């Protein structure tokens, strides 16, 4: 926001309500708060006299409500405004550090947006012409997509793969000497100071890179320092959005550059404001309501009592969401009771009816969408982002809708289905039909697949009702009744918010109380609030509870008083006043993982403001003297998703350092199916009155899948998703590191695939062609030859071999990160078009078989009802190296199983050439949960194919006929010439006639 906008905000806040003061710096998110920082102080109120600061700090103008301060010494600095009057303003203990971090990375992401290339005048555009403009822009952008290789995400539909390579321009800037545009974060190019600083740092060896946290990839700039900036080109991946700017440890004037986190997500197009559309809002005087995308927190929507606002960049820019006229009445437009934001659009709940606002339309959702026409009491979306997960079911919901007696789930592309009813739940939970059971509230848990229902249960329902909780798993389709019950009055409404934890842990609240449920409902109670909460709660109600990934929990009252506690903590502290009680505000999470406040002003505008939660907590903790019980908590868990295949294991370690005699230990919590075995190892050490405990955990499976009765069922039972969390046994509000939570998936990694070594698609001309397979070479011996189309795209380049060359396939395993290993286990090959005119050089006897081995012929005979590719695989594989398995037979048959070390080769017939397209399949049942297959092609050359006898005879007959016909024709032709000249002289003598 501009300086004028800030002035409007401050004047509005200071006109009435409480007096308070706050501070700010030029650094975004208060990342640098040191002796080098300029700290801006501002007081709201009319009783200000002067600032009280310690001797180590200097103030530019003590008697000005808005001034600047610098502190020469690090430490906690006591700052307080002195006011005229009997009351004292609260003091803060600002923690000023002596960090050598002085500089920051400034970045700008440039997307190619075909839609943005169209310019139009809002004053001359109505809704109908806007739709026409949108269709034209979309058609032309698709042409640009084809030409430029870029596919934009239209409306709210998010792409699921790489669609663009945006340019990321970065440079180094000094917040204390930056330009106004750089401080407002809207600069398009570096300022003069930033250009000089970037060039100087580059001269000293600064080479920035972009590091991705989830896939741990490193990207280098494709344009090195030019005009004071580096330029990167990084693909946008939905499963690798968390990234960081990293630089070398280069120092300039004793200052380093701070690494900066950011999210690189697909751009969402903001719904434009079109003249003629009408505002949509909540009822007059109601509190703000909001929702944001769990995996893109910068995309959010806010509903106020005068407008609805939407942003795609953490309210750096925003638009008003409005609806076409004549769809809603004036009362309906100002009666929004709930709002959610998904990939498909913005959903509004109005008078029990669900509406959706997309990029081009505003529509009511009812029976046609498989939803109730009315009676909807709530909607919600997921609160935690899980980009990667392993799911057995076909799909996962992203939205829940419920009435008093039904629950519906929403999926992408506006697909909805009913999940359950209260009658069904009564039967599942064995609840008496005489009792009244209704749905109270619904919320997604911290688990990727689980959904929780709060149920009202009562018999007479006059004064008190019980609230119970059940959890539904979308993957296993199972309901779990939790050991939780809460007695509340009939008119009470309970909100709930699940924590980012492995075990189901949640916070519940009504207007006045906050309840906690920790450690899978084994630790429950009412949160202990500070003594001043009583007076605050009498004047105000709980407005919202904010929880982030670091375990921070902020309780915001309607009058903007805020309280703080942390995950697994049972008491809260009151934070310093930051916002006037006359303001309407909300708490959000930005792309750097830091919280910020959003204010909706009376003039219909919106203003974001960074909030220094860590500094405010340091100030409060300095007065309460609360300390973290441990000194350090480390682990080697660098990912949030690990996947284990057959034969693999996962080893992690975690270490805690704490003062002697504290008696701390490490707790490991595992939530999910019992499909992994575990080994623990704990090491203990005491040094200089500090204890160090290190725990090493190893997770593995020890199941033999070979020759089992039901291979696929055994695999299904032993695959799934587990959530694991490691945490200290004691915790405090001042502990910086939260418990570490991550997933362990057991099953098939969808990115795994195999290839046959030696085949490259660059070794041949890419074209399709047809060839004929002689019927006698086919396994089923059909009556006709088979005409086959060779698809280069499917089969790649064939490997050309002389018919005398044997071929031993070498199989290689790859995943999304590249080569893993050469496959050493057994595999089989077969020609996909049915050829069987090839064989193997090893016999069963030579391979060491004690009984007759499996062959394609025997497996086809046993599984006549199955297609060729399904008759033989890991599900029915049995080896031949034991007398107890199989039956005696002819061991001189070809051994048709290959592995890396048995030197079994494919051999070819010597009397003809041919084209073979093989499919290879991993046969070992203990190698992978994945059905690993690959295709390769081999072209045999050497001898000319034997011709058909009839064809040869016909060709010779025609050749002889042509020869004799030519001979006879030439004989008669020359005879005619001979006869002509035998009677006529060749040379005629010309006689001259005499003239008389």
């Amino acid at each position: 926001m501009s300086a004028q906008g800030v002035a409007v905000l401050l004047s509005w806040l200071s006109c009435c309500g409480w007096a308070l003061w706050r501070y700010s710096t030029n650094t975004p998110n208060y990342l640098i708060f040191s002796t080098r920082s300029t700290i801006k102080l501002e007081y709201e109120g009319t009783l200000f006299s002067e600032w009280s600061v310690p001797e180590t700090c200097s103030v530019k103008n003590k008697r000005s409500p808005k001034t600047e301060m610098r502190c020469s010494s690090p430490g906690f600095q006591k700052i307080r405004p002195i006011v005229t009057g009997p009351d004292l303003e609260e003091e803060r203990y600002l923690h000023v550090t002596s960090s050598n971090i002085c500089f920051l990375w400034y970045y700008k992401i440039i997307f190619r947006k075909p839609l943005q290339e169209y310019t139009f005048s809002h004053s001359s555009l109505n809704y109908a012409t806007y739709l026409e403009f949108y269709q034209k822009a979309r058609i032309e952008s698709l042409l640009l997509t084809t030409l430029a290789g870029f596919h934009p995400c239209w409306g709210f539909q998010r792409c699921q793969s790489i669609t663009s390579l945006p340019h990321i321009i970065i440079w180094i800037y000094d917040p204390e000497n930056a330009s106004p545009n750089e401080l407002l974060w809207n600069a398009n190019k570096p300022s003069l100071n930033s250009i000089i600083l970037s060039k100087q740092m580059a001269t000293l060896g600064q080479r920035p890179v972009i590091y991705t946290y989830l896939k741990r990839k490193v990207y280098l700039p494709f344009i090195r320092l030019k005009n004071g900036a580096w330029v990167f080109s990084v693909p946008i991946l939905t499963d690798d959005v968390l990234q960081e700017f990293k630089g070398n440890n280069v120092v300039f004037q004793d200052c380093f550059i701070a690494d900066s986190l950011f999210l690189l997500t697909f751009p969402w197009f903001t719904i434009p404001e079109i003249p003629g559309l009408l505002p949509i809002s909540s009822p007059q005087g109601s509190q703000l309501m909001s929702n944001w995308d769990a995996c893109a927190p910068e995309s959010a929507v806010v509903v106020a009592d005068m407008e609805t606002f939407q942003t795609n960049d953490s309210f750096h820019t925003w638009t008003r969401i409005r609806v076409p006229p004549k769809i809603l009445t004036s009362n309906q437009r100002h009666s929004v009771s709930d709002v959610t934001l998904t990939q498909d659009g913005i959903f509004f709940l109005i008078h029990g009816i669900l509406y959706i606002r997309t990029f081009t339309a505003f529509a009511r959702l009812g029976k046609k969408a498989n939803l109730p026409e009315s009676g909807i009491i709530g909607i919600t979306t997921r609160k935690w982002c899980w980009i990667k997960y392993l799911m057995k079911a076909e799909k996962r919901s992203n939205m829940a809708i419920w009435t008093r007696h039904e629950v519906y789930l929403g999926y992408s592309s506006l697909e909805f289905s009913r999940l359950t009813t209260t009658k069904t739940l009564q039967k599942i939970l064995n609840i008496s039909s005489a009792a009244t059971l209704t749905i109270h509230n619904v919320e997604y848990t911290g688990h990727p697949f689980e959904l929780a229902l709060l149920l009202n249960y009562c018999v007479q329902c006059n004064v008190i009702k019980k609230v119970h909780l059940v959890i539904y798993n979308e993957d296993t389709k199972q309901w779990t009744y939790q050991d939780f019950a809460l007695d509340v009055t009939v008119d009470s409404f309970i909100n709930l918010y699940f924590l980012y934890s492995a075990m189901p842990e949640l916070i519940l609240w009504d207007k006045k109380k906050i309840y906690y449920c920790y450690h899978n409902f084994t630790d429950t109670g009412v949160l202990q609030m500070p003594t001043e909460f009583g007076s605050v709660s009498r004047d105000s109600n709980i407005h919202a509870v904010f929880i982030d990934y670091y375990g921070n929990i902020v309780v915001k009252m309607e009058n903007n008083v805020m309280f703080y506690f942390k995950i697994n903590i049972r008491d809260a502290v009151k934070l310093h006043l930051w916002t006037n009680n006359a303001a309407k505000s909300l708490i959000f999470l930005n792309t750097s993982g830091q919280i910020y406040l959003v204010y909706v002003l009376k003039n219909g505008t919106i203003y974001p403001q960074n909030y220094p939660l860590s500094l405010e907590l340091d100030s409060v903790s300095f007065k309460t003297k609360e300390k973290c019980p441990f000194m350090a908590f480390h682990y080697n868990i660098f990912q949030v998703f690990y996947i284990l295949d057959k034969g693999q294991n996962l080893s992690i370690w975690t270490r805690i350092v704490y003062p002697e005699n504290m008696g701390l230990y490490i707790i490991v919590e595992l939530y999910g199916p019992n499909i992994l075995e575990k080994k623990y190892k704990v090491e203990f050490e005491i040094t200089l009155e500090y204890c160090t405990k290190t725990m090493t955990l190893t997770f593995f499976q020890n199941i033999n899948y070979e020759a089992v009765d039901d291979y696929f069922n055994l695999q299904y039972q032993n695959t799934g998703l587990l959530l694991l969390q490691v945490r200290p046994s004691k915790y405090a509000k001042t502990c910086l590191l939260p418990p570490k939570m991550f997933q362990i998936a057991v099953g098939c990694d969808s990115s795994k695939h195999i290839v046959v070594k030696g085949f490259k698609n660059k070794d041949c001309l890419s074209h399709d062609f047809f060839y004929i397979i002689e019927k006698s070479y086919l396994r089923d011996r059909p009556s006709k030859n088979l005409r086959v189309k060779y698809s280069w795209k499917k089969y790649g380049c064939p490997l050309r071999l002389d018919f005398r060359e044997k071929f031993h396939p070498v199989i290689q395993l790859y995943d999304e990160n590249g080569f893993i290993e050469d496959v050493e286990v057994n595999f089989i090959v077969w020609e996909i078009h049915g050829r069987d005119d090839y064989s193997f050089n090893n016999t069963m006897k030579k391979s060491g078989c004690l009984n007759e081995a499996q062959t394609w012929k025997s497996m086809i005979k046993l599984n006549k009802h199955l297609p060729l590719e399904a008759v033989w695989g890991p599900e029915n594989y049995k080896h031949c190296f034991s007398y107890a398995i199989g039956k005696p037979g002819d061991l001189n048959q070809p051994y048709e199983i290959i592995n890396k070390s048995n030197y079994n080769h494919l051999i070819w017939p010597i009397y003809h050439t041919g084209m073979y397209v093989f499919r290879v399949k991993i046969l070992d049942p203990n190698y992978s949960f994945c059905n690993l297959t690959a295709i390769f092609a081999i072209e045999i050359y050497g001898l000319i194919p034997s011709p058909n006898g009839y064809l040869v005879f016909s060709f010779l007959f025609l050749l002889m006929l042509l020869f004799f016909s030519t001979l006879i024709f030439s004989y008669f032709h020359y005879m005619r010439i001979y006869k002509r000249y035998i009677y006529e002289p060749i040379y005629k003598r010309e006689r001259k006639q005499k003239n008389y």
Side-chain angles (χ1 to χ4, degrees), residues 251-449:
V251 62
F252 176 65
Q253 294 181 351
D254 296 328
C255 286
F256 294 91
I257 309 170
D259 296 335
S260 301
L261 283 173
F262 72 103
L263 290 177
L264 183 61
T265 59
F266 292 102
W268 286 21
F269 286 105
T270 304
I271 299 176
E273 299 179 26
I274 307 299
L277 301 189
L278 302 176
I280 183 170
S281 67
S282 58
Q284 186 66 33
S286 60
Q287 292 293 317
L288 301 180
M289 63 182 74
S290 65
N291 192 255
W292 62 85
D293 184 83
C295 293
E298 73 277 12
S299 299
V301 60
V302 171
V303 179
D305 59 0
M306 83 285 286
E307 290 279 2
T308 295
F309 306 90
Q310 185 233 338
T311 183
N312 292 327
D313 55 7
S314 300
F315 291 98
H316 183 67
T317 60
W318 48 269
T319 58
R320 297 176 181 88
I321 301 299
R322 298 193 170 185
V323 298
K326 299 181 181 180
I327 296 180
L328 299 175
T329 65
S330 177
N331 180 47
Q332 288 174 327
R333 285 191 298 102
H334 299 291
S335 300
V336 176
S337 58
D338 208 347
V339 65
T340 62
L341 176 69
T342 73
Q343 300 173 2
D344 296 307
I346 303 174
F347 294 86
F348 295 97
L349 183 59
I350 303 173
H351 291 170
I353 302 171
L354 192 63
Y355 297 85
I356 183 173
R357 179 68 165 97
T358 64
F359 196 76
T360 58
F362 180 78
R364 174 177 175 172
L365 299 176
K367 287 185 177 180
K368 292 183 179 180
N370 200 25
L371 286 173
E373 289 288 342
S374 61
I376 298 175
I377 60 175
I379 53 178
T380 188
T381 55
R382 295 189 180 274
K383 298 297 185 293
W384 303 109
C385 178
W386 290 107
I387 296 175
K388 298 187 71 173
Y389 46 84
L390 182 67
M391 191 174 188
K392 300 177 185 177
E394 295 181 358
K395 54 187 177 181
R396 186 183 75 139
S397 68
N398 56 23
M399 182 179 180
I401 307 103
W402 65 96
T403 65
R404 287 175 55 84
H405 299 285
E406 295 177 319
V407 178
Y408 294 81
L409 295 182
Y411 305 90
S412 59
S413 302
L414 296 181
E415 180 184 352
F416 301 93
S417 65
R418 189 172 70 176
L419 173 63
T420 189
T421 64
T422 51
K423 289 184 178 180
T424 304
L425 288 174
Q426 280 183 310
K427 295 178 181 179
I428 295 174
L429 303 176
N430 294 321
I431 296 176
S432 172
S433 58
T436 301
L437 188 69
T438 58
I439 298 170
H440 183 87
N441 207 342
V442 178
E443 191 57 83
Y444 284 99
T445 72
H447 194 284
F449 308 138

Side-chain angles (χ1 to χ4, degrees), residues 11 25 47 57 171 201 216 232 307 327 446 469 479 519 578 634 771 833 866 929 932:
S11 63
T25 66
L47 303 177
C57 299
W171 62 84
M201 296 293 281
R216 307 183 73 179
F232 293 80
E307 290 279 2
I327 296 180
L469 189 140
W479 291 92
H519 311 149
W578 187 268
H634 299 297
Y771 64 94
H833 298 121
L866 296 177
F929 289 105
L932 297 173

Side-chain angles (χ1 to χ4, degrees), residues 519-575:
H519 311 149
N520 200 14
F521 301 96
T522 60
D523 184 5
T524 61
V526 178
L527 188 73
Q528 297 299 312
M529 305 298 289
T531 55
E532 59 265 34
F533 177 76
S535 59
V536 171
S537 62
R538 284 193 295 270
D539 301 331
S540 182
N541 298 321
I542 298 174
H543 175 210
V545 175
F546 175 85
I547 307 175
D548 66 9
Y549 289 90
Y550 304 104
N552 298 310
I553 305 175
V554 179
V555 180
K556 179 191 170 296
M557 307 296 290
E558 291 180 354
N559 58 6
N560 293 321
V561 175
M562 292 189 290
F563 298 89
Y564 174 86
F565 64 106
K566 219 173 180 71
I567 184 173
N568 298 325
I569 300 298
R570 298 160 186 81
D571 63 289
V573 295
K574 180 178 177 291
L575 297 174

